[in-house]
Amino acid sequence: MQPLQHLFDNNKAWAASIKEKEPDFFRRLSRHQAPKYLWIGCSDSRVPANQIIGLQPGEVFVHRNIANLVVHTDLNCLSVLQYAVEVLKVRHIILCGHYGCGGVQAALENHEHGLIDNWLRHIKDVIRFNPSQFEGLGHKEKLDLLCELNVKEQVTNICNTTIVQNAWKQGRELSVHGWIYSIEDGILRDLSACLATAEVPTKDVIAPTG
Ligand code: CO
């Protein structure tokens, strides 16, 4: 018996249902990928990129990590970004956070979690950058606000990478979007943190706060 047999059964049924609708689907996709979008989101199992935005395999390039962070020295994320921008030539980078994010919640509390605390430190920095905005708020409001500010901070980090800066210097059409998803109702919201070629200086993008 194959371990996790039900997953292989699911896979067969899924592939068959796609082929039924479009017999040439997998052959066509196997030749090349040309996604227009790069999605950087949280690893949370409730926030699956393709399903949320209703896209098929081949339509969105995806990077996910805990709390959707773009850390200046994270070679994993930066490699995905470089490949998406320079090789796949995506037109849109979507940084999508979500309300109720466990990583953001852990950063808001003062418990020790081991190694991951070093990763979460980047979210604690977001509080440090915006201390006055958290004054007088209850826990739920703080959590929601930090989820939103974290999205905006990571949008800024994307914009400040050499990869995006160089694309903009070359006059490439490339937009960076900051979105947030609600697990409670399945709805995406635009945080109006979008930056595109013509709107930003090509050096040190300032974090859009508030
Ligand atoms: Co999360």
Side-chain angles (χ1 to χ4, degrees):
M1 181 77 169
Q2 162 78 45
L4 303 178
Q5 182 61 44
H6 62 294
L7 298 184
F8 287 86
D9 294 343
N10 287 353
N11 168 252
K12 264 195 195 140
W14 170 77
S17 74
I18 297 235
K19 274 191 252 181
E20 196 182 310
K21 277 183 234 145
E22 192 186 329
D24 202 34
F25 183 85
F26 291 108
R27 195 143 32 108
R28 178 174 57 78
L29 261 194
S30 68
R31 288 188 207 118
H32 77 294
Q33 62 168 333
K36 293 192 189 79
Y37 315 97
L38 165 62
W39 171 282
I40 301 177
C42 184
S43 297
D44 192 308
S45 63
R46 300 164 294 180
V47 193
N50 284 66
Q51 282 100 325
I52 287 174
I53 46 179
L55 294 183
Q56 293 296 313
E59 294 186 308
V60 58
F61 202 60
V62 174
H63 176 80
R64 291 168 67 183
N65 61 38
I66 290 175
N68 41 270
L69 297 182
V70 177
V71 175
H72 299 307
T73 52
D74 176 3
L75 287 180
N76 183 352
C77 183
L78 292 176
S79 299
V80 170
L81 185 63
Q82 181 181 19
Y83 190 75
V85 171
E86 295 181 6
V87 180
L88 297 174
K89 302 202 183 306
V90 298
R91 300 284 287 272
H92 300 275
I93 300 169
I94 299 160
L95 187 295
C96 186
H98 68 102
Y99 291 114
C101 181
V104 173
Q105 173 142 0
L108 205 50
E109 293 161 355
N110 276 325
H111 307 304
E112 284 186 23
H113 306 90
L115 174 79
I116 195 173
D117 288 330
N118 299 288
W119 183 252
L120 300 179
R121 177 58 56 187
H122 296 288
I123 311 173
K124 286 182 187 281
D125 286 344
V126 178
I127 306 173
R128 190 157 54 80
F129 298 155
N130 306 275
S132 61
Q133 295 200 45
F134 291 88
E135 282 169 19
L137 297 183
H139 181 76
K140 168 86 169 68
E141 287 75 26
K142 271 188 195 165
L143 178 58
D144 287 350
L145 176 64
L146 187 53
C147 288
E148 292 173 2
L149 291 178
N150 183 46
V151 167
K152 293 179 179 182
E153 191 64 32
Q154 306 317 314
V155 165
T156 304
N157 288 349
I158 293 171
C159 294
N160 282 330
T161 60
T162 53
I163 300 151
V164 170
Q165 290 286 313
N166 286 336
W168 283 340
K169 270 185 214 157
Q170 291 159 15
R172 288 262 315 279
E173 256 185 69
L174 178 66
S175 303
V176 184
H177 309 263
W179 295 356
I180 194 155
Y181 174 76
S182 171
I183 290 170
E184 288 179 12
D185 62 10
I187 299 298
L188 271 177
R189 201 154 68 82
D190 190 338
L191 286 177
S192 304
C194 176
L195 291 164
T197 316
E199 298 158 17
V200 289
T202 52
K203 247 179 107 182
D204 289 341
V205 176
I206 305 300
T209 53

